[in-house]
Amino acid sequence: MENNFLKAMQFRHACKLFDENKKVSKNDFDFILEAGRLSPSSFGVEHCRFIVVQSGDLKKKLMSACYDQPQVGTASTTVVILGLKEDLKPGSEYVQKMFKRWQMPEEKYNAMLGFYKFMVDQLDITWWSISQCHIAGANMMTSAASIGIDSCPIGGFDMKKVKDVLGVDSNKYTVGLIIPFGYRVNEQRGKIRLPVDELVEYR
Ligand SMILES: Cc1cc2nc3c(=O)[nH]c(=O)nc-3n(C[C@H](O)[C@H](O)[C@H](O)COP(=O)(O)O)c2cc1C
């Protein structure tokens, strides 16, 4: 099937090494960040925050916190997606602020806050937040691919070291995903995926 979205999906691969001489332009990076910003989030409370690392020194420190994976240090720009923790607790000022934006009638607003508490009390907030970072990250990677920019999702990192490198407050944030962006050095291998009939069941 010829389709621009699927072409971008084929183009995106877990890029292991970036060309250090090729930089992603500000315009292109703003486009990628916009895809992150417009991503959906549970209850619309926008769990993700984005730290955009461009400094070579900081990228190398991050690379070391990612078990020396070269893509983190050779990328043009490496984004660390943080997930909120403390602010997401039911009853927090942040959650109230996020719900107030919808300008619901008072009764509905209170019912929403109650439902939020009912749902979130059953969750592990840290993992909930991480899952939202993965959604934003996926959209950022596919949007990047649509304009010929490579990326690699990085889940292989030492959480404590990444937080130390960036001075992140552990009570406020978890690290959801790290994504280096740039331009590939090597051609990608073909896509390896299970066939549709092993993945999909119609009922
Ligand atoms: C949440 C997540 C974490 C990942 N962490 C790493 C990582 O730390 N290093 C890496 O090289 N690839 C990482 N990958 C990439 C996968 O290995 C890769 O997507 C998979 O093998 C399929 O290859 P493709 O993306 O090139 O099609 C990660 C992928 C996901 C979704």
Side-chain angles (χ1 to χ4, degrees), residues 69-140:
Q69 297 191 66
Q71 56 274 54
V72 178
T74 56
S76 163
T77 308
T78 293
V79 176
V80 179
I81 310 183
L82 300 179
L84 295 179
K85 283 168 64 178
E86 218 169 43
D87 279 344
L88 297 176
K89 287 187 181 156
S92 78
E93 269 181 34
Y94 176 79
V95 170
Q96 291 179 39
K97 182 178 110 182
M98 298 310 271
F99 281 1
K100 277 195 181 125
R101 305 185 298 176
W102 301 102
Q103 300 185 320
M104 295 172 262
E106 179 88 10
E107 204 176 306
K108 189 161 181 220
Y109 166 77
N110 287 328
M112 280 300 290
L113 283 180
F115 186 54
Y116 180 88
K117 179 168 167 45
F118 170 74
M119 292 300 287
V120 176
D121 278 349
Q122 302 173 57
L123 295 167
D124 176 321
I125 287 187
T126 301
W127 276 105
W128 186 44
S129 220
I130 290 172
S131 71
Q132 313 287 320
C133 294
H134 285 189
I135 292 172
N139 285 331
M140 290 167 79

Side-chain angles (χ1 to χ4, degrees), residues 4-175:
N4 285 340
F5 182 78
L6 285 184
K7 273 191 206 155
M9 295 287 287
Q10 287 285 354
F11 176 90
R12 189 218 56 78
H13 69 295
C15 182
K16 308 293 183 192
L17 188 69
F18 293 94
D19 183 340
E20 291 189 72
N21 298 313
K22 286 195 192 160
K23 299 291 165 207
V24 175
S25 73
K26 175 160 175 20
N27 252 3
D28 285 350
F29 211 74
D30 285 348
F31 168 77
I32 295 168
L33 286 170
E34 189 64 352
R37 191 178 77 95
L38 293 177
S39 292
S41 63
S42 290
F43 284 103
V45 293
E46 301 188 47
H47 309 59
C48 306
R49 299 295 180 267
F50 306 91
I51 300 188
V52 180
V53 179
Q54 290 171 313
S55 134
D57 182 45
L58 206 48
K59 270 186 277 176
K60 297 290 178 215
K61 285 184 184 152
L62 265 185
M63 181 173 123
S64 139
C66 296
Y67 306 108
D68 285 323
Q69 297 191 66
Q71 56 274 54
V72 178
T74 56
S76 163
T77 308
T78 293
V79 176
V80 179
I81 310 183
L82 300 179
L84 295 179
K85 283 168 64 178
E86 218 169 43
D87 279 344
L88 297 176
K89 287 187 181 156
S92 78
E93 269 181 34
Y94 176 79
V95 170
Q96 291 179 39
K97 182 178 110 182
M98 298 310 271
F99 281 1
K100 277 195 181 125
R101 305 185 298 176
W102 301 102
Q103 300 185 320
M104 295 172 262
E106 179 88 10
E107 204 176 306
K108 189 161 181 220
Y109 166 77
N110 287 328
M112 280 300 290
L113 283 180
F115 186 54
Y116 180 88
K117 179 168 167 45
F118 170 74
M119 292 300 287
V120 176
D121 278 349
Q122 302 173 57
L123 295 167
D124 176 321
I125 287 187
T126 301
W127 276 105
W128 186 44
S129 220
I130 290 172
S131 71
Q132 313 287 320
C133 294
H134 285 189
I135 292 172
N139 285 331
M140 290 167 79
M141 290 186 287
T142 312
S143 71
S146 78
I147 54 171
I149 293 171
D150 292 303
S151 61
C152 183
I154 302 285
F157 56 80
D158 180 322
M159 175 76 80
K160 187 181 176 318
K161 282 192 185 156
V162 173
K163 284 179 175 168
D164 287 348
V165 165
L166 298 171
V168 166
D169 179 343
S170 268
N171 292 320
K172 273 190 86 74
Y173 304 104
T174 185
V175 180

